Amino acid sequence: MRYAKLVFTLLAPAVALMAADPFVGTWKLNPAKSKFKAGAPYQEATSTISESGSDLDVAFKGTAANGAPFSIHYTLPANGGTGKVVEAPFDAVSAKYLNARERKIIQSKGGKVLYTIHSKVSKDGKMLTVVHKGTIAAAQAVDGIWVFDKQ
């Protein structure tokens, strides 16, 4: 019995560390819950985050307020740091993980920060709240809170 308790005590933290990243999944923008201080809200948007080896693969697609489609794709190290831009109006991306359910992402171009994103997954894992601020395509200022529902 003691041996079983010892094994469980030693393995429990390892199992917790191997648990899936709470950001992984498909997230659909909930426009009714989202709020914009500056910039126009998207008509619709979906963020798909998947694990790819030791990285997170992030794809963000949808339709802008003016009806134009958009697509952003990048990867980030699962433990934070500098990522790789695949398709985006910025040329660099990095992430800092604040805790298991919260992270900060910085997108930049030519060494200048364009956009900051502070994301937090709810305790129940069903909602992603994203505070975003910066400049997007055509130098449009954006400032607000997006709310995404897990699909």
Side-chain angles (χ1 to χ4, degrees):
M1 184 68 162
R2 281 188 197 173
Y3 181 72
K5 286 182 182 178
L6 176 63
V7 169
F8 178 75
T9 302
L10 294 174
L11 290 179
V15 170
L17 289 174
M18 293 186 320
D21 187 303
F23 288 91
V24 170
T26 300
W27 301 90
K28 186 169 175 73
L29 180 67
N30 184 330
K33 292 182 181 177
S34 300
K35 296 175 178 39
F36 281 75
K37 296 177 188 173
Y42 293 129
Q43 290 181 17
E44 60 92 20
T46 302
S47 182
T48 305
I49 303 170
S50 59
E51 292 176 308
S52 178
S54 63
D55 291 338
L56 292 179
D57 188 79
V58 181
F60 187 57
K61 297 181 181 202
T63 306
N66 65 2
F70 66 87
S71 180
I72 295 172
H73 185 192
Y74 56 87
T75 62
L76 291 169
N79 60 354
T82 302
K84 178 183 171 194
V85 176
V86 178
E87 174 188 14
F90 47 89
D91 60 18
V93 62
S94 64
K96 178 179 181 181
Y97 293 86
L98 307 173
N99 60 54
R101 294 184 350 268
E102 197 170 359
R103 68 182 179 198
K104 181 177 181 180
I105 298 174
I106 297 174
Q107 300 169 347
S108 56
K109 186 170 186 171
K112 179 182 174 188
V113 173
L114 295 178
Y115 207 68
T116 59
I117 302 166
H118 185 158
S119 304
K120 186 174 184 177
V121 176
S122 62
K123 287 183 182 181
D124 66 5
K126 295 179 182 180
M127 187 169 61
L128 174 64
T129 303
V130 180
V131 177
H132 58 101
K133 187 172 186 169
T135 308
I136 59 172
Q140 178 187 4
V142 178
D143 184 2
I145 300 171
W146 287 327
V147 176
F148 291 84
D149 297 317
K150 193 159 194 177
Q151 301 300 293

